[in-house]
Amino acid sequence: MEVNYAYKGSTAVVDKGDRTQMSFSPDTKREPTFFIGELRQNIAFREAISALHDVVVSDLRFKPKDKTAYKEWAAKQLEIDWQKVAVQKQEILNRMQELRTELNNLYDNHYQRLKPYYDAREKFRQYVFRKQLDIYFLFDPVITVHPDEIFFECFSVDESSYGRLGASYEVFKNIDEFACGTTNIDYSHDLYNEFQKIRNYKTTKLEVDPSGFEVKTTNEESFKEVKIDLPDSWVRGFLQVSSAMSLPATKFDLHPMDVHNLCFVLRRHKEKQGPRGMRYHLTPGQPVRVVFEPWNIEVVCSRSPYLGNDEQTIRVWGRRRLHILERLISIAKKFTVHLLGTGMPSFYVADLGDLSFTLGLSGWTSNDWAQAGNFDLMAPRAEVDNLTKQQIFNALKQNWAEPPDVLARRLNLDRSVVLGALSSYTQAGSAIFDLNKQVYRVRELSREPLPMDKLRFANEREEKATRFLSQNAVEVTSCTGDAASSLILQGVVKDKGNIYHPSLTIDSDQRIIQADCTCNWHLQNKLFKGPCEHILALRTHHDRQRR
Protein backbone atom coordinates (compact mmCIF):
# COMPACT_ATOMS: atom_id res chain seq x y z
CA MET A 1 0.00 0.00 0.00
CA GLU A 2 1.72 3.19 -1.23
CA VAL A 3 1.23 6.47 0.65
CA ASN A 4 2.43 9.81 -0.72
CA TYR A 5 3.42 12.74 1.47
CA ALA A 6 4.63 16.24 0.61
CA TYR A 7 6.45 18.22 3.29
CA LYS A 8 7.69 21.78 3.02
CA GLY A 9 11.18 21.08 4.35
CA SER A 10 11.71 19.05 7.51
CA THR A 11 10.76 19.41 11.14
CA ALA A 12 12.94 22.17 12.62
CA VAL A 13 14.10 22.67 16.21
CA VAL A 14 15.68 25.91 17.43
CA ASP A 15 17.33 25.39 20.83
CA LYS A 16 18.71 28.40 22.71
CA GLY A 17 19.61 29.05 26.30
CA ASP A 18 16.23 30.43 27.32
CA ARG A 19 13.82 28.89 24.84
CA THR A 20 13.17 25.97 22.52
CA GLN A 21 11.00 26.22 19.41
CA MET A 22 9.73 23.05 17.73
CA SER A 23 8.17 23.45 14.32
CA PHE A 24 6.53 20.34 12.85
CA SER A 25 6.27 20.19 9.08
CA PRO A 26 2.80 18.92 8.09
CA ASP A 27 1.71 17.07 4.99
CA THR A 28 0.85 19.75 2.44
CA LYS A 29 -1.42 17.43 0.46
CA ARG A 30 -3.97 17.35 3.28
CA GLU A 31 -6.42 19.99 4.45
CA PRO A 32 -4.75 22.87 6.30
CA THR A 33 -4.18 21.88 9.92
CA PHE A 34 -1.99 23.97 12.18
CA PHE A 35 -1.38 24.85 15.82
CA ILE A 36 0.84 27.34 17.63
CA GLY A 37 1.15 27.28 21.40
CA GLU A 38 3.64 27.60 24.24
CA LEU A 39 4.07 24.72 26.68
CA ARG A 40 2.95 25.31 30.26
CA GLN A 41 3.65 21.78 31.59
CA ASN A 42 7.08 21.14 30.12
CA ILE A 43 8.28 18.07 32.02
CA ALA A 44 5.02 16.14 31.78
CA PHE A 45 4.86 16.76 28.03
CA ARG A 46 8.51 15.73 27.61
CA GLU A 47 8.01 12.40 29.36
CA ALA A 48 4.74 11.66 27.55
CA ILE A 49 6.06 12.47 24.06
CA SER A 50 9.18 10.40 24.82
CA ALA A 51 6.97 7.43 25.72
CA LEU A 52 5.23 7.92 22.38
CA HIS A 53 8.64 7.64 20.71
CA ASP A 54 9.20 4.32 22.52
CA VAL A 55 6.03 3.03 20.87
CA VAL A 56 7.19 4.13 17.40
CA VAL A 57 10.53 2.30 17.58
CA SER A 58 9.21 -0.71 19.53
CA ASP A 59 10.17 -4.02 17.90
CA LEU A 60 10.14 -7.03 20.23
CA ARG A 61 9.95 -9.71 17.56
CA PHE A 62 12.31 -12.67 18.05
CA LYS A 63 15.65 -12.24 16.26
CA PRO A 64 17.77 -15.44 16.13
CA LYS A 65 21.52 -15.13 16.63
CA ASP A 66 23.70 -15.32 13.54
CA LYS A 67 26.31 -18.04 14.12
CA THR A 68 27.77 -17.96 10.61
CA ALA A 69 30.99 -16.17 11.62
CA TYR A 70 31.55 -18.51 14.56
CA LYS A 71 31.11 -21.63 12.41
CA GLU A 72 33.59 -20.28 9.86
CA TRP A 73 36.10 -19.61 12.63
CA ALA A 74 35.59 -23.08 14.15
CA ALA A 75 36.12 -24.74 10.76
CA LYS A 76 39.40 -22.89 10.28
CA GLN A 77 40.65 -23.99 13.72
CA LEU A 78 40.32 -27.65 12.71
CA GLU A 79 42.64 -27.08 9.76
CA ILE A 80 45.51 -25.69 11.84
CA ASP A 81 48.54 -27.94 12.57
CA TRP A 82 49.25 -26.87 16.14
CA GLN A 83 52.47 -28.91 16.40
CA LYS A 84 53.98 -27.09 13.45
CA VAL A 85 52.85 -23.81 14.92
CA ALA A 86 54.70 -24.56 18.16
CA VAL A 87 57.96 -25.17 16.27
CA GLN A 88 57.65 -21.95 14.31
CA LYS A 89 56.52 -19.86 17.26
CA GLN A 90 59.95 -18.78 18.46
CA GLU A 91 61.12 -17.90 14.96
CA ILE A 92 58.03 -15.81 14.41
CA LEU A 93 58.45 -13.97 17.71
CA ASN A 94 61.99 -13.02 16.80
CA ARG A 95 60.95 -11.85 13.39
CA MET A 96 58.07 -9.90 14.85
CA GLN A 97 60.37 -8.04 17.18
CA GLU A 98 62.46 -6.90 14.20
CA LEU A 99 59.47 -5.79 12.18
CA ARG A 100 57.52 -4.08 14.95
CA THR A 101 59.44 -0.81 14.83
CA GLU A 102 59.37 -0.67 11.06
CA LEU A 103 55.67 -1.53 10.99
CA ASN A 104 54.80 1.21 13.49
CA ASN A 105 56.50 3.77 11.31
CA LEU A 106 54.60 2.54 8.28
CA TYR A 107 51.30 2.74 10.19
CA ASP A 108 51.99 6.31 11.21
CA ASN A 109 52.77 7.38 7.68
CA HIS A 110 49.79 5.48 6.30
CA TYR A 111 47.39 7.07 8.79
CA GLN A 112 48.60 10.60 8.13
CA ARG A 113 48.18 10.17 4.37
CA LEU A 114 44.68 8.71 4.66
CA LYS A 115 43.41 10.88 7.54
CA PRO A 116 41.20 13.06 5.26
CA TYR A 117 39.61 9.89 3.88
CA TYR A 118 38.94 8.47 7.34
CA ASP A 119 37.33 11.73 8.48
CA ALA A 120 35.07 11.83 5.44
CA ARG A 121 34.13 8.15 5.86
CA GLU A 122 33.19 8.70 9.51
CA LYS A 123 30.95 11.63 8.60
CA PHE A 124 29.28 9.50 5.91
CA ARG A 125 28.82 6.62 8.37
CA GLN A 126 27.08 8.90 10.84
CA TYR A 127 24.89 10.28 8.06
CA VAL A 128 23.86 6.79 6.92
CA PHE A 129 23.23 5.74 10.52
CA ARG A 130 20.80 8.61 11.03
CA LYS A 131 19.04 7.83 7.76
CA GLN A 132 18.69 4.16 8.66
CA LEU A 133 17.06 5.11 11.95
CA ASP A 134 14.55 7.24 10.05
CA ILE A 135 13.48 4.10 8.18
CA TYR A 136 11.98 2.82 11.43
CA PHE A 137 9.33 5.52 11.18
CA LEU A 138 7.37 3.58 8.57
CA PHE A 139 4.33 5.75 8.97
CA ASP A 140 4.92 9.31 10.13
CA PRO A 141 2.98 10.02 13.32
CA VAL A 142 -0.50 11.44 12.91
CA ILE A 143 -1.31 14.70 14.66
CA THR A 144 -4.89 15.88 15.11
CA VAL A 145 -6.05 19.30 16.28
CA HIS A 146 -9.49 19.43 17.93
CA PRO A 147 -11.32 22.27 19.68
CA ASP A 148 -10.53 20.81 23.12
CA GLU A 149 -7.14 19.13 22.64
CA ILE A 150 -4.31 18.22 20.31
CA PHE A 151 -3.24 14.57 20.11
CA PHE A 152 -0.51 12.48 18.51
CA GLU A 153 -0.90 8.87 17.33
CA CYS A 154 1.63 6.28 16.20
CA PHE A 155 2.05 2.54 15.65
CA SER A 156 5.11 0.40 16.34
CA VAL A 157 7.49 -1.28 13.91
CA ASP A 158 6.52 -4.80 15.04
CA GLU A 159 2.83 -4.04 14.34
CA SER A 160 1.70 -4.71 17.90
CA SER A 161 1.75 -1.46 19.93
CA TYR A 162 -0.36 1.67 19.52
CA GLY A 163 0.32 4.96 21.25
CA ARG A 164 -1.80 8.07 21.64
CA LEU A 165 -0.80 11.23 23.48
CA GLY A 166 -3.60 13.71 24.11
CA ALA A 167 -2.83 17.22 25.39
CA SER A 168 -5.67 19.53 26.39
CA TYR A 169 -5.21 23.23 25.85
CA GLU A 170 -4.52 23.65 29.58
CA VAL A 171 -1.08 22.20 28.80
CA PHE A 172 -0.30 25.31 26.74
CA LYS A 173 -0.30 29.05 27.25
CA ASN A 174 -0.29 31.92 24.78
CA ILE A 175 -2.08 29.83 22.15
CA ASP A 176 -1.82 31.86 18.97
CA GLU A 177 -3.95 30.18 16.34
CA PHE A 178 -5.08 26.74 15.27
CA ALA A 179 -7.16 25.01 12.60
CA CYS A 180 -8.89 21.71 13.41
CA GLY A 181 -8.06 18.68 11.30
CA THR A 182 -5.67 15.76 10.91
CA THR A 183 -2.31 15.67 9.19
CA ASN A 184 0.85 13.58 9.08
CA ILE A 185 3.95 15.33 10.40
CA ASP A 186 7.56 14.94 9.40
CA TYR A 187 9.00 13.28 12.53
CA SER A 188 12.70 12.40 12.30
CA HIS A 189 14.78 10.49 14.86
CA ASP A 190 16.74 13.61 15.81
CA LEU A 191 13.53 15.17 17.09
CA TYR A 192 13.47 12.67 19.97
CA ASN A 193 16.85 13.91 21.15
CA GLU A 194 15.57 17.47 21.05
CA PHE A 195 12.58 16.51 23.21
CA GLN A 196 15.01 15.49 25.95
CA LYS A 197 16.22 19.10 26.18
CA ILE A 198 12.85 20.42 27.36
CA ARG A 199 13.23 22.04 30.80
CA ASN A 200 10.99 24.04 33.11
CA TYR A 201 13.29 27.06 33.05
CA LYS A 202 13.16 27.22 29.24
CA THR A 203 10.23 28.42 27.17
CA THR A 204 9.13 25.71 24.74
CA LYS A 205 6.97 26.59 21.76
CA LEU A 206 5.11 23.86 19.86
CA GLU A 207 4.18 24.72 16.31
CA VAL A 208 2.50 22.75 13.55
CA ASP A 209 3.70 25.15 10.93
CA PRO A 210 0.85 26.90 9.06
CA SER A 211 3.37 28.16 6.48
CA GLY A 212 3.61 24.59 5.26
CA PHE A 213 0.49 25.28 3.25
CA GLU A 214 1.67 28.39 1.48
CA VAL A 215 1.68 28.38 -2.32
CA LYS A 216 5.18 28.37 -3.74
CA THR A 217 6.23 29.59 -7.17
CA THR A 218 8.29 27.40 -9.46
CA ASN A 219 11.41 29.42 -8.76
CA GLU A 220 11.26 28.85 -5.01
CA GLU A 221 12.22 25.87 -2.90
CA SER A 222 10.20 22.77 -3.75
CA PHE A 223 8.36 20.55 -1.32
CA LYS A 224 9.94 17.37 0.02
CA GLU A 225 8.14 14.48 -1.66
CA VAL A 226 8.04 11.24 0.29
CA LYS A 227 6.65 7.93 -0.94
CA ILE A 228 6.32 5.10 1.56
CA ASP A 229 5.24 1.58 0.72
CA LEU A 230 3.32 0.52 3.83
CA PRO A 231 2.83 -3.21 4.45
CA ASP A 232 -0.84 -4.13 4.43
CA SER A 233 -0.31 -6.03 7.68
CA TRP A 234 0.93 -2.81 9.36
CA VAL A 235 -2.12 -0.80 8.31
CA ARG A 236 -4.45 -3.69 9.16
CA GLY A 237 -2.93 -4.02 12.64
CA PHE A 238 -3.31 -0.27 13.21
CA LEU A 239 -6.98 -0.41 12.24
CA GLN A 240 -7.64 -3.54 14.29
CA VAL A 241 -6.23 -2.05 17.47
CA SER A 242 -8.10 1.22 16.82
CA SER A 243 -11.32 -0.67 16.21
CA ALA A 244 -10.83 -2.73 19.38
CA MET A 245 -10.91 0.45 21.49
CA SER A 246 -14.64 0.84 20.77
CA LEU A 247 -15.50 -2.68 22.03
CA PRO A 248 -16.89 -3.38 25.53
CA ALA A 249 -14.11 -4.14 27.99
CA THR A 250 -13.41 -4.98 31.62
CA LYS A 251 -12.10 -1.79 33.23
CA PHE A 252 -10.23 -1.07 36.48
CA ASP A 253 -7.66 1.40 37.83
CA LEU A 254 -4.08 0.70 38.88
CA HIS A 255 -2.00 2.89 41.17
CA PRO A 256 1.31 4.06 39.58
CA MET A 257 3.30 2.08 42.16
CA ASP A 258 1.40 -1.07 41.17
CA VAL A 259 2.46 -0.51 37.55
CA HIS A 260 6.01 0.00 38.82
CA ASN A 261 5.84 -3.39 40.60
CA LEU A 262 4.66 -5.09 37.41
CA CYS A 263 7.54 -3.64 35.43
CA PHE A 264 9.96 -4.49 38.27
CA VAL A 265 9.06 -8.20 38.10
CA LEU A 266 9.62 -8.19 34.33
CA ARG A 267 13.00 -6.47 34.79
CA ARG A 268 14.16 -8.99 37.38
CA HIS A 269 13.09 -12.17 35.58
CA LYS A 270 13.64 -13.57 32.10
CA GLU A 271 11.64 -16.58 31.01
CA LYS A 272 13.36 -19.36 29.06
CA GLN A 273 10.25 -21.34 28.24
CA GLY A 274 6.50 -20.89 28.10
CA PRO A 275 3.88 -20.16 29.15
CA ARG A 276 4.65 -16.44 29.01
CA GLY A 277 1.26 -15.07 29.98
CA MET A 278 0.21 -12.60 32.65
CA ARG A 279 -3.05 -13.38 34.48
CA TYR A 280 -5.27 -10.69 35.96
CA HIS A 281 -7.37 -12.13 38.81
CA LEU A 282 -10.34 -9.81 39.39
CA THR A 283 -12.57 -10.32 42.46
CA PRO A 284 -15.20 -7.67 43.30
CA GLY A 285 -14.14 -5.55 46.27
CA GLN A 286 -10.69 -7.20 46.45
CA PRO A 287 -7.29 -5.87 45.28
CA VAL A 288 -6.32 -6.74 41.73
CA ARG A 289 -3.94 -9.71 41.64
CA VAL A 290 -1.50 -10.30 38.78
CA VAL A 291 0.28 -13.65 38.29
CA PHE A 292 3.31 -13.94 36.02
CA GLU A 293 3.88 -17.23 34.20
CA PRO A 294 5.83 -19.52 34.20
CA TRP A 295 7.22 -18.53 37.63
CA ASN A 296 3.75 -18.05 39.21
CA ILE A 297 4.98 -14.83 40.84
CA GLU A 298 1.98 -13.00 42.28
CA VAL A 299 1.76 -9.22 42.61
CA VAL A 300 -1.07 -7.99 44.83
CA CYS A 301 -2.09 -4.46 43.86
CA SER A 302 -3.17 -3.42 47.36
CA ARG A 303 -3.78 0.18 46.28
CA SER A 304 -6.04 -0.88 43.40
CA PRO A 305 -9.34 -2.61 44.32
CA TYR A 306 -11.49 -4.10 41.58
CA LEU A 307 -14.89 -2.36 41.55
CA GLY A 308 -16.58 -4.57 38.96
CA ASN A 309 -19.45 -6.98 39.58
CA ASP A 310 -18.16 -10.27 38.12
CA GLU A 311 -15.24 -12.39 39.26
CA GLN A 312 -13.02 -13.32 36.32
CA THR A 313 -9.52 -14.21 35.22
CA ILE A 314 -8.06 -12.69 32.04
CA ARG A 315 -4.76 -13.71 30.46
CA VAL A 316 -2.69 -11.40 28.27
CA TRP A 317 0.57 -11.88 26.39
CA GLY A 318 3.33 -9.62 25.10
CA ARG A 319 3.80 -8.25 28.61
CA ARG A 320 7.27 -6.74 28.12
CA ARG A 321 5.68 -3.98 26.07
CA LEU A 322 4.51 -2.57 29.42
CA HIS A 323 8.02 -1.12 29.86
CA ILE A 324 6.84 1.71 27.60
CA LEU A 325 4.84 2.99 30.58
CA GLU A 326 7.86 3.25 32.89
CA ARG A 327 8.63 6.86 31.98
CA LEU A 328 5.12 7.85 32.96
CA ILE A 329 5.02 6.31 36.46
CA SER A 330 6.52 9.35 38.20
CA ILE A 331 4.04 11.82 36.66
CA ALA A 332 0.89 9.68 36.41
CA LYS A 333 -2.04 9.96 38.81
CA LYS A 334 -3.41 6.54 37.86
CA PHE A 335 -3.50 3.97 35.06
CA THR A 336 -6.87 2.75 33.78
CA VAL A 337 -6.69 -0.76 32.29
CA HIS A 338 -9.16 -1.94 29.62
CA LEU A 339 -9.11 -5.70 28.96
CA LEU A 340 -11.20 -7.14 26.11
CA GLY A 341 -10.62 -10.74 27.17
CA THR A 342 -8.08 -13.55 27.08
CA GLY A 343 -5.84 -13.24 24.03
CA MET A 344 -7.56 -10.03 22.95
CA PRO A 345 -6.09 -6.50 22.75
CA SER A 346 -5.60 -4.55 25.97
CA PHE A 347 -5.29 -0.83 26.67
CA TYR A 348 -3.58 1.18 29.41
CA VAL A 349 -4.62 4.82 29.81
CA ALA A 350 -2.27 6.96 31.91
CA ASP A 351 -3.93 9.91 33.63
CA LEU A 352 -1.34 12.70 33.54
CA GLY A 353 -3.67 15.51 34.57
CA ASP A 354 -4.17 17.70 31.53
CA LEU A 355 -2.31 15.07 29.49
CA SER A 356 -3.37 11.49 28.79
CA PHE A 357 -1.35 8.65 27.27
CA THR A 358 -3.02 5.55 25.80
CA LEU A 359 -0.98 2.41 25.14
CA GLY A 360 -2.80 -0.18 23.04
CA LEU A 361 -1.39 -3.70 22.79
CA SER A 362 -2.46 -6.41 20.38
CA GLY A 363 -3.06 -9.93 21.69
CA TRP A 364 0.53 -11.00 21.02
CA THR A 365 3.78 -9.16 20.33
CA SER A 366 4.10 -10.92 16.98
CA ASN A 367 0.60 -9.68 16.06
CA ASP A 368 0.06 -12.91 14.12
CA TRP A 369 -3.64 -12.43 13.58
CA ALA A 370 -3.96 -15.52 11.38
CA GLN A 371 -2.69 -17.74 14.18
CA ALA A 372 -4.65 -15.89 16.85
CA GLY A 373 -7.91 -15.93 14.91
CA ASN A 374 -8.75 -12.30 15.71
CA PHE A 375 -9.39 -11.17 12.16
CA ASP A 376 -13.07 -10.67 13.07
CA LEU A 377 -12.17 -7.53 15.06
CA MET A 378 -12.92 -5.55 11.91
CA ALA A 379 -16.19 -7.32 11.13
CA PRO A 380 -19.24 -5.03 10.71
CA ARG A 381 -21.18 -4.80 13.98
CA ALA A 382 -24.41 -3.28 12.63
CA GLU A 383 -25.75 -2.85 9.12
CA VAL A 384 -26.36 0.87 8.44
CA ASP A 385 -27.17 2.30 5.03
CA ASN A 386 -24.63 4.63 3.44
CA LEU A 387 -26.88 7.70 3.57
CA THR A 388 -27.42 7.38 7.33
CA LYS A 389 -23.73 6.68 7.92
CA GLN A 390 -22.76 9.83 6.03
CA GLN A 391 -25.34 11.85 7.97
CA ILE A 392 -23.91 10.63 11.29
CA PHE A 393 -20.31 11.31 10.24
CA ASN A 394 -21.17 14.83 9.03
CA ALA A 395 -22.89 15.51 12.37
CA LEU A 396 -19.80 14.30 14.24
CA LYS A 397 -17.66 16.61 12.12
CA GLN A 398 -19.65 19.61 13.30
CA ASN A 399 -18.38 19.25 16.87
CA TRP A 400 -15.29 17.08 16.08
CA ALA A 401 -15.86 15.01 19.26
CA GLU A 402 -19.07 13.77 20.86
CA PRO A 403 -20.37 10.87 22.99
CA PRO A 404 -22.51 8.42 20.98
CA ASP A 405 -25.54 8.92 23.26
CA VAL A 406 -25.50 12.69 22.76
CA LEU A 407 -25.07 12.26 19.02
CA ALA A 408 -28.01 9.83 18.88
CA ARG A 409 -30.28 12.26 20.73
CA ARG A 410 -29.22 15.17 18.55
CA LEU A 411 -29.98 13.24 15.35
CA ASN A 412 -33.03 11.50 16.80
CA LEU A 413 -31.60 8.10 15.84
CA ASP A 414 -31.36 4.81 17.67
CA ARG A 415 -28.14 4.41 19.65
CA SER A 416 -27.32 1.08 17.95
CA VAL A 417 -27.53 2.75 14.52
CA VAL A 418 -25.14 5.51 15.61
CA LEU A 419 -22.70 3.00 17.13
CA GLY A 420 -22.83 0.85 14.00
CA ALA A 421 -22.03 3.80 11.76
CA LEU A 422 -19.23 5.09 14.01
CA SER A 423 -17.73 1.59 14.25
CA SER A 424 -17.56 1.33 10.48
CA TYR A 425 -15.79 4.71 10.28
CA THR A 426 -13.41 3.62 13.03
CA GLN A 427 -12.54 0.48 11.09
CA ALA A 428 -11.97 2.61 7.97
CA GLY A 429 -9.56 4.94 9.79
CA SER A 430 -11.84 8.00 9.63
CA ALA A 431 -12.74 8.15 13.33
CA ILE A 432 -11.33 7.07 16.66
CA PHE A 433 -12.78 6.23 20.06
CA ASP A 434 -11.15 8.24 22.85
CA LEU A 435 -10.86 5.89 25.84
CA ASN A 436 -9.86 8.73 28.14
CA LYS A 437 -12.95 10.91 27.58
CA GLN A 438 -15.25 8.16 26.23
CA VAL A 439 -16.11 10.08 23.05
CA TYR A 440 -15.78 9.44 19.33
CA ARG A 441 -13.48 11.81 17.48
CA VAL A 442 -12.99 12.63 13.81
CA ARG A 443 -9.52 11.46 12.74
CA GLU A 444 -8.92 10.65 9.08
CA LEU A 445 -5.87 8.42 8.88
CA SER A 446 -5.20 9.16 5.21
CA ARG A 447 -6.31 11.63 2.57
CA GLU A 448 -7.97 8.97 0.45
CA PRO A 449 -10.30 6.15 1.57
CA LEU A 450 -8.44 3.02 2.61
CA PRO A 451 -9.05 -0.16 0.57
CA MET A 452 -11.01 -1.98 3.27
CA ASP A 453 -11.79 -4.97 1.06
CA LYS A 454 -8.04 -5.51 0.86
CA LEU A 455 -7.17 -4.69 4.47
CA ARG A 456 -9.84 -6.53 6.41
CA PHE A 457 -8.40 -9.99 5.70
CA ALA A 458 -4.77 -11.04 5.48
CA ASN A 459 -5.57 -13.65 2.83
CA GLU A 460 -8.44 -15.39 1.05
CA ARG A 461 -8.63 -18.12 3.71
CA GLU A 462 -9.63 -15.63 6.40
CA GLU A 463 -12.44 -14.33 4.19
CA LYS A 464 -13.72 -17.87 3.61
CA ALA A 465 -13.55 -18.63 7.34
CA THR A 466 -15.72 -15.60 8.04
CA ARG A 467 -18.28 -16.83 5.51
CA PHE A 468 -18.47 -20.20 7.27
CA LEU A 469 -19.11 -18.46 10.58
CA SER A 470 -21.85 -16.23 9.16
CA GLN A 471 -23.56 -19.27 7.62
CA ASN A 472 -23.41 -21.24 10.90
CA ALA A 473 -21.52 -23.97 9.05
CA VAL A 474 -19.05 -24.64 11.88
CA GLU A 475 -19.54 -27.00 14.81
CA VAL A 476 -17.19 -27.98 17.64
CA THR A 477 -17.63 -31.72 18.20
CA SER A 478 -14.92 -32.24 20.82
CA CYS A 479 -13.00 -30.05 23.23
CA THR A 480 -10.53 -31.84 25.49
CA GLY A 481 -7.65 -30.75 27.65
CA ASP A 482 -7.10 -27.65 29.72
CA ALA A 483 -6.42 -24.09 28.56
CA ALA A 484 -3.66 -23.86 31.18
CA SER A 485 -1.68 -26.63 29.46
CA SER A 486 -3.01 -27.59 26.02
CA LEU A 487 -6.42 -27.67 24.41
CA ILE A 488 -7.45 -30.07 21.62
CA LEU A 489 -10.36 -29.03 19.39
CA GLN A 490 -12.15 -31.15 16.82
CA GLY A 491 -15.02 -30.05 14.65
CA VAL A 492 -17.00 -30.18 11.43
CA VAL A 493 -17.20 -27.52 8.72
CA LYS A 494 -19.70 -27.66 5.86
CA ASP A 495 -18.35 -26.16 2.64
CA LYS A 496 -20.40 -26.26 -0.60
CA GLY A 497 -21.91 -29.64 0.07
CA ASN A 498 -18.65 -31.09 1.37
CA ILE A 499 -17.96 -31.90 5.00
CA TYR A 500 -14.45 -31.35 6.40
CA HIS A 501 -13.09 -32.44 9.76
CA PRO A 502 -10.51 -29.94 11.09
CA SER A 503 -8.68 -30.41 14.38
CA LEU A 504 -6.07 -28.35 16.19
CA THR A 505 -4.05 -28.21 19.37
CA ILE A 506 -3.62 -24.92 21.26
CA ASP A 507 -0.76 -24.58 23.76
CA SER A 508 -0.70 -22.69 27.05
CA ASP A 509 0.19 -19.48 25.20
CA GLN A 510 -2.94 -19.85 23.05
CA ARG A 511 -0.92 -20.58 19.90
CA ILE A 512 -1.77 -23.22 17.31
CA ILE A 513 1.05 -25.76 17.63
CA GLN A 514 -0.54 -28.60 15.69
CA ALA A 515 -3.45 -28.80 13.25
CA ASP A 516 -4.96 -31.15 10.72
CA CYS A 517 -7.76 -31.02 8.17
CA THR A 518 -9.17 -33.28 5.47
CA CYS A 519 -9.30 -30.50 2.83
CA ASN A 520 -7.01 -30.56 -0.21
CA TRP A 521 -5.28 -27.24 0.64
CA HIS A 522 -4.08 -28.53 4.02
CA LEU A 523 -3.00 -31.89 2.57
CA GLN A 524 -0.74 -30.05 0.12
CA ASN A 525 0.63 -27.27 2.35
CA LYS A 526 0.18 -28.51 5.94
CA LEU A 527 0.92 -25.49 8.18
CA PHE A 528 3.83 -24.13 6.15
CA LYS A 529 1.56 -21.42 4.71
CA GLY A 530 -0.61 -21.07 7.79
CA PRO A 531 -3.90 -22.74 8.73
CA CYS A 532 -6.58 -23.46 6.16
CA GLU A 533 -9.95 -21.70 6.29
CA HIS A 534 -11.59 -24.65 8.06
CA ILE A 535 -9.03 -24.64 10.90
CA LEU A 536 -9.37 -20.86 11.22
CA ALA A 537 -13.15 -21.11 11.32
CA LEU A 538 -13.04 -23.79 14.03
CA ARG A 539 -10.61 -21.74 16.16
CA THR A 540 -12.61 -18.52 15.84
CA HIS A 541 -15.93 -20.30 16.48
CA HIS A 542 -14.54 -21.77 19.71
CA ASP A 543 -13.21 -18.36 20.81
CA ARG A 544 -16.60 -16.76 20.22
CA GLN A 545 -18.33 -19.46 22.25
CA ARG A 546 -15.85 -19.00 25.08
CA ARG A 547 -16.28 -15.22 25.10
Side-chain angles (χ1 to χ4, degrees), residues 139-159:
F139 196 25
D140 284 327
V142 179
I143 185 171
T144 304
V145 180
H146 272 203
D148 61 330
E149 71 175 29
I150 177 173
F151 59 91
F152 301 80
E153 291 179 275
C154 65
F155 204 53
S156 64
V157 177
D158 59 11
E159 306 173 4

Side-chain angles (χ1 to χ4, degrees), residues 422-541:
L422 293 177
S423 295
S424 64
Y425 280 108
T426 301
Q427 294 167 0
S430 299
I432 182 177
F433 184 69
D434 186 350
L435 284 173
N436 182 47
K437 296 185 177 180
Q438 296 292 301
V439 297
Y440 277 92
R441 295 183 178 275
V442 176
R443 191 271 282 123
E444 297 182 280
L445 191 60
S446 64
R447 298 183 307 272
E448 296 142 4
L450 297 173
M452 297 309 300
D453 55 339
K454 182 180 180 182
L455 293 175
R456 182 181 172 190
F457 303 108
N459 49 58
E460 185 180 356
R461 302 191 303 280
E462 289 189 359
E463 186 174 2
K464 290 181 178 179
T466 303
R467 189 178 70 247
F468 297 147
L469 295 170
S470 62
Q471 296 173 351
N472 295 322
V474 185
E475 179 184 357
V476 178
T477 59
S478 174
C479 179
T480 59
D482 186 3
S485 55
S486 63
L487 191 66
I488 301 176
L489 299 178
Q490 294 179 343
V492 175
V493 178
K494 299 178 181 178
D495 182 9
K496 296 180 181 179
N498 298 319
I499 298 179
Y500 298 99
H501 300 275
S503 62
L504 64 147
T505 302
I506 304 173
D507 69 358
S508 56
D509 282 327
Q510 299 295 298
R511 297 173 301 182
I512 298 178
I513 58 175
Q514 185 177 353
D516 194 13
C517 186
T518 56
C519 70
N520 184 60
W521 194 92
H522 180 79
L523 293 176
Q524 291 181 349
N525 300 284
K526 301 299 181 182
L527 291 177
F528 294 110
K529 295 184 179 181
C532 68
E533 58 266 28
H534 310 106
I535 296 174
L536 284 174
L538 180 64
R539 168 68 185 271
T540 306
H541 181 65

Side-chain angles (χ1 to χ4, degrees), residues 253-263 303-304 325-326 328-336 350-352:
D253 293 336
L254 288 180
H255 190 276
M257 281 306 299
D258 293 327
V259 176
H260 164 74
N261 293 336
L262 300 182
C263 295
R303 307 172 183 85
S304 308
L325 300 175
E326 284 183 312
L328 306 177
I329 293 174
S330 61
I331 60 175
K333 297 181 179 180
K334 65 177 181 178
F335 291 85
T336 302
D351 181 3
L352 311 177

